[in-house]
């Protein structure tokens, strides 16, 4: 396994390593193996002219490649941005539903007062990570759990879905942000926030009906919840009436589909410039300096032969590097496009 990891780490650098050795070999060979009297100035000038023209052609090719990749990234970014906006609106509607649930009478009498008073400073994420030992309050909560048939866990989870910052424990003023930060999305995904609504109002609702009676929710609140659900997904919820099954399906859709998807594409949208563009820009800069400016400077100012050898060696090594790298790049692009 270690050998395989080592091979996977080393293989991508082989073209660069071979090209570097080739550059050193060419410069050293031209400087030491070829007699100076056989290198007529007109031959050197011709070779430098060829190097310069070749470099200009390669610079144009690399420049077009960078522009093409940039356009692809821009198109991809626009597509991601559209999907992010759509998913963000869905989470807005879901959080509006959760806000109604948190403020409603669906909870057993005394549960909200107990949690808000005794564990008002307890963050749901901290409670789930009690094993890390960061919070004594989380340990106290674990020891006193099940006072209300375990439904207090759902209450804490529901409040966590109203947070915009995972470091907070209280929802002072609920509001939907313009965009969701990767930090809060990551916490929701890690702890599968929304799955509690799916679980308590779905599979186990018969066991928790006394603690979570949906009939205690005011009728006007039921209508609002149904309205938000239809806005969230018209096709899925248009023909459903308000019930525990509706809440369960909303929790399932959020925890299994929408929140993980939004987190995934949010992280994609914040990725740095792809490595292939960085490599291409480095090659373009090297060709411009050593393949165009250096030969021109050598011809104009009659610089020593060593500068000519450096230009020849670097341009040839860049050509070698591009030749060795083109096949793995093509294979990767084909596999990515499938």
């Amino acid at each position: 396994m270690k050998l395989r990891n080592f091979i996977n780490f080393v293989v991508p650098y082989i073209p660069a390593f071979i090209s570097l050795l080739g550059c050193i070999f060419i410069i050293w060979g031209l400087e030491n193996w070829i007699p100076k009297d056989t290198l007529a100035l007109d031959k050197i000038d011709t070779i430098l002219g060829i190097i310069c023209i070749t470099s200009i052609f390669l610079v144009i090719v690399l420049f077009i490649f960078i522009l093409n990749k940039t356009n692809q990234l821009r198109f991809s970014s626009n597509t991601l941005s559209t999907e992010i906006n759509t998913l963000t609106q869905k989470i807005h509607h879901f959080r509006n539903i959760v806000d109604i649930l948190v403020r409603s009478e669906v909870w057993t009498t005394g549960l909200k007062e107990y949690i808000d008073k005794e564990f008002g400073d307890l963050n749901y994420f901290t409670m789930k990570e009690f094993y890390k030992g960061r919070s004594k309050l989380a340990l106290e909560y674990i020891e006193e759990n099940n006072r209300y048939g375990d439904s207090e866990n759902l209450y804490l989870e529901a409040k966590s879905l109203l947070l915009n910052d995972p470091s907070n424990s209280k929802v002072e003023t609920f509001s939907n942000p313009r965009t969701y930060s990767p930090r809060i999305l990551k916490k929701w995904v890690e702890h599968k926030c929304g799955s509690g609504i799916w679980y308590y109002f779905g599979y186990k609702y018969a066991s928790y009906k006394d603690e979570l009676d949906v009939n205690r929710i005011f009728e006007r609140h039921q209508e609002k919840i149904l309205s938000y659900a239809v806005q969230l997904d018209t096709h899925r919820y248009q023909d459903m009436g308000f019930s525990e099954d509706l809440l369960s399906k909303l929790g399932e859709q959020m925890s299994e589909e929408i929140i993980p998807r939004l987190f995934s594409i949010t992280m994609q949208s914040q990725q740095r410039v792809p490595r292939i563009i960085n490599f291409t820009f480095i090659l373009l800069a090297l060709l411009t300096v050593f393949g165009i400016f250096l030969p021109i400077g050598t011809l104009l100012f009659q610089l020593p032969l060593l500068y000519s050898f450096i230009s020849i060696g670097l341009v040839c090594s860049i050509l070698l590097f591009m030749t060795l790298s083109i096949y793995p790049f093509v294979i990767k692009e084909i596999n990515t496009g499938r």
Side-chain angles (χ1 to χ4, degrees):
M1 191 66 179
K2 291 183 178 180
L3 178 61
R4 182 182 299 176
N5 292 334
F6 177 76
I7 293 174
N8 291 335
F9 176 78
V10 170
V11 167
Y13 297 98
I14 290 179
F17 179 72
I18 293 177
S19 301
L20 179 62
L21 288 180
C23 177
I24 295 173
F25 179 78
I26 291 173
I27 296 174
W28 185 79
L30 290 174
E31 178 70 16
N32 295 278
W33 285 2
I34 299 179
K36 298 297 185 295
D37 54 358
T38 62
L39 290 175
L41 290 178
D42 57 338
K43 291 183 179 180
I44 293 295
D45 292 347
T46 301
I47 294 173
L48 289 178
I50 295 173
I51 290 292
C52 188
I53 294 173
T54 303
S55 298
I56 291 173
F57 174 76
L58 290 176
V59 164
I60 294 173
V61 171
L62 293 176
F63 187 73
I64 293 174
F65 176 80
I66 291 176
L67 290 179
N68 184 51
K69 275 292 181 181
T70 303
N71 288 332
Q72 291 179 14
L73 290 174
R74 186 183 295 114
F75 176 78
S76 176
S77 177
N78 291 337
T79 303
L80 288 178
S81 179
T82 301
E83 188 174 1
I84 286 174
N85 291 336
T86 301
L87 294 174
T88 297
Q89 289 302 315
K90 290 180 181 293
I91 294 183
H92 286 350
H93 297 318
F94 178 67
R95 278 164 43 103
N96 289 334
I97 292 172
V98 173
D99 178 52
I100 294 174
L101 285 178
V102 168
R103 295 185 289 106
S104 73
E105 300 299 322
V106 71
W107 315 97
T108 301
T109 302
L111 181 147
K112 291 197 293 183
E113 292 76 10
Y114 165 68
I115 295 296
D116 292 341
K117 181 178 180 181
E118 297 295 327
F119 300 100
D121 294 328
L122 179 61
N123 182 296
Y124 175 74
F125 309 122
T126 305
M127 183 274 291
K128 294 292 287 185
E129 299 168 359
F130 71 93
Y131 53 86
K132 296 182 179 179
R134 295 175 179 174
S135 172
K136 293 182 179 180
L137 192 61
L139 296 175
E140 292 179 10
Y141 174 83
I142 296 297
E143 293 174 355
E144 295 190 24
N145 199 6
N146 293 321
R147 277 198 177 190
Y148 294 89
D150 200 34
S151 59
E152 57 266 44
N153 285 339
L154 177 60
Y155 181 65
L156 280 178
E157 179 183 338
K159 290 206 303 181
S160 76
L161 286 164
L162 302 180
L163 296 175
N164 295 331
D165 185 341
S167 62
N168 293 337
S169 57
K170 296 181 180 179
V171 184
E172 301 295 345
T173 303
F174 168 69
S175 62
N176 287 316
R178 183 176 180 181
T179 58
Y180 292 99
S181 70
R183 292 176 61 238
I184 190 65
L185 290 172
K186 182 180 180 181
K187 285 295 184 181
W188 286 340
V189 170
E190 283 181 353
H191 300 294
K192 295 187 175 181
C193 293
S195 62
I197 296 175
W198 175 21
Y199 177 80
Y200 285 93
F201 289 104
Y203 295 111
K204 294 294 183 178
Y205 185 67
S207 303
Y208 293 100
K209 190 172 183 179
D210 292 336
E211 289 80 15
L212 301 166
D213 190 353
V214 295
N215 293 319
R216 291 199 294 261
I217 300 177
F218 296 140
E219 186 175 346
R220 68 178 186 278
H221 287 166
Q222 295 181 15
E223 292 175 356
K224 284 185 177 180
I225 290 174
L226 187 56
S227 174
Y228 286 129
V230 172
Q231 293 179 67
L232 192 157
D233 193 327
T234 303
H235 177 74
R236 186 174 299 194
Y237 303 114
Q238 180 68 58
D239 298 325
M240 289 187 67
F242 178 81
S243 65
E244 67 277 4
D245 187 48
L246 172 68
L247 297 176
S248 175
K249 289 184 180 298
L250 284 165
E252 178 183 10
Q253 185 181 14
M254 283 296 122
S255 61
E256 296 294 311
E257 300 175 20
I258 295 179
I259 293 177
R261 178 57 181 166
L262 179 58
F263 175 63
S264 175
I265 63 176
T266 297
M267 297 307 296
Q268 290 180 40
S269 68
Q270 295 186 352
Q271 286 182 350
R272 297 180 179 179
V273 176
R275 188 166 60 177
I276 184 64
I277 291 184
N278 291 329
F279 276 136
T280 305
F281 183 78
I282 292 172
L283 293 179
L284 189 149
L286 290 174
L287 284 170
T288 302
V289 174
F290 295 100
I292 299 176
F293 291 149
L294 184 58
I296 292 176
T298 302
L299 292 173
L300 289 177
F301 302 106
Q302 296 297 310
L303 298 177
L305 283 176
L306 178 61
Y307 291 97
S308 301
F309 299 157
I310 292 175
S311 179
I312 295 170
L314 279 170
V315 172
C316 290
S317 65
I318 289 173
L319 285 170
L320 178 60
F321 175 78
M322 294 175 66
T323 302
L324 295 176
S325 302
I326 189 66
Y327 183 74
F329 171 73
V330 170
I331 293 298
K332 183 179 179 180
E333 287 294 303
I334 292 175
N335 292 333
T336 302
R338 287 179 178 177

